[in-house]
Amino acid sequence: MKKNVMLLASLVILAGLCAAQQPKPKLKVYISADMEGVWGIVHSDQTSPESPEYGPARKWMTDDVNAVIVGLFEGGATEVVVNDSHGGMRNLIADGLDPRAFLISGSPKTLSMMQGIDGTFQACLFIGYHAKAGTEAAILDHTISSSVVYSIRVNGREMPELGLNGAIAGYFNVPVIMVSGDTALCGQAKSVLGAGTVGVAVKDAVGRYAAKMLPRDDACRLLKEGAKEALLKCASVKPFVVQPPCRFELEFHTSGQAEVAWLVPGVTRADARTAVFSNGDYLEGFRLLRALIALASGR
Ligand SMILES: [Zn+2]
């Protein structure tokens, strides 16, 4: 009898050791971090490196992202990759970022705000994002470029950046589980990506250049808790997929900008300001979209 008990105890210990040696299942999470939707930011002086207001705003951006990273690791993430996604993409303070996270910094990058995403990630988050061009009461509303793009439609639907980028995540079957920014941004996330995406509003815009901020500690707490909650239920969130063929309509501010885009073979005109093209592959279509916007800049 005693022998049996000892045998049982040994088996239990052995099972425990085996369980301890089992590698933890991987839970890779991708963050695309923009700047206009970061707490405290209401003006482009705060998002432009040449301005003295840029330094503090970089820190706020880094702190917003860090709050999210803490929530993700608490929610079970085993790896977090952060892609700096604003302007020249060198905004996050590299040695101020949570040391557990990987950072993708600099530009240009083929997939731009989504560089580094692939099918090995289980979840994606958009932090510090902003509403699309032409949104009422939304801080620094624009779509990719304030001076070039009036609107972008994909398969007939106007897209904010969160939709264009969300479709890249969807291309790799990765769901967008959380967004952060102002109230208007969170509303657009629900309508484009679906109700499953958690929205954390850190500010409520009064207009394009004014907002009421949450108290700083509350904003960081909500970012952390939102990320944790979103990751715990990430399996229930559906990826946002644009079904091919993908028809892109790029409406510029001026006819001169559109005329440059029409130089590219395969790009046709819908009207004086709008370039149109289709592609069977969303990623290729997205890259052409970015190239046309770059071509038209300065026109
Ligand atoms: Zn930006």
Side-chain angles (χ1 to χ4, degrees):
M1 195 67 177
K2 202 176 169 190
K3 206 172 172 185
N4 283 347
V5 170
M6 280 179 67
L7 184 64
L8 190 64
S10 313
L11 283 172
V12 167
I13 290 165
L14 194 61
L17 281 175
C18 287
Q21 282 164 5
Q22 286 284 325
K24 217 170 142 189
K26 277 197 171 177
L27 182 47
K28 285 178 68 177
V29 185
Y30 180 90
I31 298 174
S32 171
D34 202 352
M35 202 163 188
E36 291 84 351
V38 163
W39 179 92
I41 290 178
V42 294
H43 196 277
S44 54
D45 282 354
Q46 296 166 304
T47 60
S48 309
E50 37 308 323
S51 162
E53 291 189 59
Y54 175 70
R58 291 181 78 189
K59 183 175 181 307
W60 302 336
M61 179 187 187
T62 308
D63 290 344
D64 272 19
V65 172
N66 278 343
V68 168
I69 294 170
V70 170
L72 290 173
F73 278 108
E74 282 186 11
T78 59
E79 183 176 323
V80 175
V81 176
V82 184
N83 182 31
D84 196 324
S85 300
H86 171 79
M89 303 183 171
R90 303 192 309 271
N91 311 284
L92 287 162
I93 300 166
D95 64 358
L97 197 67
D98 189 309
R100 294 170 292 181
F102 292 87
L103 171 64
I104 301 172
S105 183
S107 69
K109 298 177 280 203
T110 316
L111 289 186
S112 189
M113 300 173 81
M114 296 301 285
Q115 188 65 37
I117 188 103
D118 61 31
T120 64
F121 288 89
Q122 276 82 44
C124 168
L125 293 84
F126 296 154
I127 302 306
Y129 266 47
H130 53 82
K132 69 184 176 190
T135 305
E136 201 177 324
I139 293 299
L140 298 169
D141 61 307
H142 69 278
T143 307
I144 300 180
S145 165
S146 290
S147 57
V148 175
V149 177
Y150 185 83
S151 72
I152 295 169
R153 286 181 294 280
V154 181
N155 289 353
R157 182 169 196 189
E158 193 177 346
M159 290 280 202
E161 290 174 19
L162 67 90
L164 295 166
N165 294 339
I168 295 179
Y171 182 91
F172 292 107
N173 206 32
V174 181
V176 181
I177 61 167
M178 175 179 150
V179 298
S180 77
D182 63 16
T183 317
L185 174 277
C186 292
Q188 285 178 7
K190 293 275 181 214
S191 82
V192 175
L193 302 173
T197 302
V198 170
V200 175
V202 294
K203 56 193 175 189
D204 189 24
V206 178
R208 189 166 203 263
Y209 304 109
K212 182 181 183 184
M213 309 295 159
L214 284 183
R216 186 53 173 144
D217 289 351
D218 290 358
C220 288
R221 182 176 48 78
L222 289 178
L223 286 165
K224 186 184 88 161
E225 288 173 358
K228 184 177 176 181
E229 175 205 328
L231 191 58
L232 289 173
K233 67 177 185 75
C234 74
S236 66
V237 185
K238 283 201 181 87
F240 176 63
V241 178
V242 170
Q243 294 298 342
C246 311
R247 184 175 194 268
F248 291 80
E249 294 169 77
L250 171 53
E251 187 173 4
F252 294 97
H253 280 292
T254 70
S255 53
Q257 292 166 335
E259 282 163 8
V260 182
W262 298 331
L263 293 172
V264 177
V267 178
T268 58
R269 63 193 292 176
D271 57 42
R273 292 193 308 195
T274 308
V276 179
F277 62 93
S278 289
N279 201 302
D281 183 276
Y282 181 78
L283 275 199
E284 283 191 15
F286 175 83
R287 289 171 64 180
L288 179 53
L289 179 82
R290 296 293 317 212
L292 296 182
I293 293 168
L295 267 180
S297 296
R299 285 273 155 177

